[in-house]
Amino acid sequence: MAELAVAFGFSLFAGLSTGLGGLIVALKNTPSQRFLAGALGLSAGVMVFVSLVELLPEGVDGLSEAGRSRPDVWAAVAFFAGIALIAVIDRFVPEEINPHEGPDVRAAGRMRRVGVMTALAIAIHNFPEGFATFFVALQDPAFALPIAVAIAIHNIPEGIAVAVPMREATGSKWRAAWWATLSGLAEPLGAVVGYLLLRPFIGPEALGVVFAAIAGVMVFVSIDKLLPTAIETGRHHTAIYGFVAGMAVMAVSLLLLA
C-alpha cells in the first residue's frame, strides 16, 4: 500500500501543477517568454532522454525476462503503439480548442467562449501522463522523481492556458484558477484507472509493454507539444539550450543512481 500511495502522490503532484499556472494568472504575474521557452525545453529534454535511454530498455528487459522472443521488436511495437494512442487522443481534440495548437500558450485569451472545453482538452491530454508517472513511480520512486518534475513544469503553462479563457468567461480569477487545478486532476485519475485496469495483468511482460508504450507517449508529448510551444515563444535558442540541459540533468541523475 505504501508503494501505491507514493506512486499516486507523484501523479497528484504533477497534475496539481496546473493549479500553479492558474495561480499565476490569478496573481497576474505572467512568466516571461524566455522562462517559458527554457522551462518547456528542459522538460522535453528530460522526457526524451529518459524515454529512450531508460524506459525503452526497461521495456525490452521486461519482455526478455518474460521469455518473449525478439523482445526488442515487441518493445518497438509497444513504443509506437504509445505514440499512436496519444496521437489519436490529440486528434480527437478540435484544433480551435486544443491548447497545444496555438502559437503561444497565452493565446488562450482569445478562447473566452470555450473555456470549459479548453479545460476538458487539457484533461484529455493529462490522463495518459498520470498513467505514465504512476507506473514508473510504482517500480522506482527515485527514478520517477525527475519525470514527475518534468511533467509538472510543462503542466504550468497548461494551467495558464485553462485559466486565461476561464477568467474571461467567468469574470473570476480565482474560479479560473480552480478550473485550471481541476483539469490537472485528470493525471491522478489516469493513474487510478490505469492501475485498476492493468492490476490483474501486472508482471514482467505487462510491465515491459507498459514501459515501452509510456516511452512512446512521453516522446510524442515532447516533440508535439513541449518543443514546438517552447520554440514558438520566439526564444528558439533558449528552448534548445533548455532541451540539452534537460538531457544533461537526466543523464547525470541516472549515473548517480546507477
Side-chain angles (χ1 to χ4, degrees):
M1 287 300 295
E3 293 84 357
L4 291 176
V6 170
F8 181 79
F10 275 111
S11 293
L12 184 63
F13 160 73
L16 287 178
S17 62
T18 58
L20 181 55
L23 184 62
I24 290 172
V25 171
L27 297 177
K28 298 182 180 179
N29 185 21
T30 307
S32 69
Q33 299 286 63
R34 186 183 297 274
F35 171 81
L36 287 174
L40 291 169
L42 183 82
S43 296
V46 167
M47 291 171 68
V48 168
F49 190 89
V50 77
S51 295
L52 299 180
V53 174
E54 192 72 15
L55 289 181
L56 189 55
E58 283 279 350
V60 174
D61 290 344
L63 290 164
S64 178
E65 183 182 343
R68 174 71 65 176
S69 62
R70 294 305 306 270
D72 52 342
V73 173
W74 286 105
V77 170
F79 176 83
F80 287 105
I83 290 178
L85 172 65
I86 191 66
V88 167
I89 290 174
D90 194 66
R91 278 296 174 186
F92 271 115
V93 180
E95 183 174 344
E96 62 270 17
I97 63 169
N98 190 334
H100 304 113
E101 295 293 346
D104 188 329
V105 294
R106 287 179 283 186
R110 296 192 298 269
M111 298 183 287
R112 302 178 184 181
R113 296 182 181 178
V114 291
V116 173
M117 292 302 295
T118 302
L120 291 175
I122 289 285
I124 291 170
H125 281 280
N126 284 348
F127 195 87
E129 292 171 9
F131 172 81
T133 306
F134 179 85
F135 271 89
V136 174
L138 197 59
Q139 297 304 303
D140 188 347
F143 175 53
L145 179 59
I147 296 176
V149 170
I151 292 177
I153 290 172
H154 109 256
N155 279 350
I156 293 174
E158 289 189 349
I160 294 172
V162 173
V164 170
M166 288 306 300
R167 182 178 62 187
E168 299 296 334
T170 65
S172 170
K173 59 185 181 181
W174 295 112
R175 190 178 299 174
W178 164 246
W179 272 99
T181 304
L182 190 63
S183 70
L185 293 180
E187 295 215 4
L189 179 62
V192 171
V193 172
Y195 177 73
L196 292 177
L197 289 176
L198 293 178
R199 181 174 55 180
F201 311 104
I202 290 179
E205 185 170 23
L207 287 175
V209 170
V210 167
F211 275 128
I214 286 171
V217 168
M218 292 176 64
V219 167
F220 185 90
V221 167
S222 298
I223 62 178
D224 181 62
K225 297 195 292 184
L226 299 185
L227 269 182
T229 304
I231 291 172
E232 286 164 356
T233 62
R235 300 289 184 173
H236 174 273
H237 286 101
T238 301
I240 299 304
Y241 297 153
F243 181 80
V244 174
M247 291 194 294
V249 167
M250 197 66 243
V252 170
S253 68
L254 290 176
L255 290 173
L256 292 176
L257 291 172

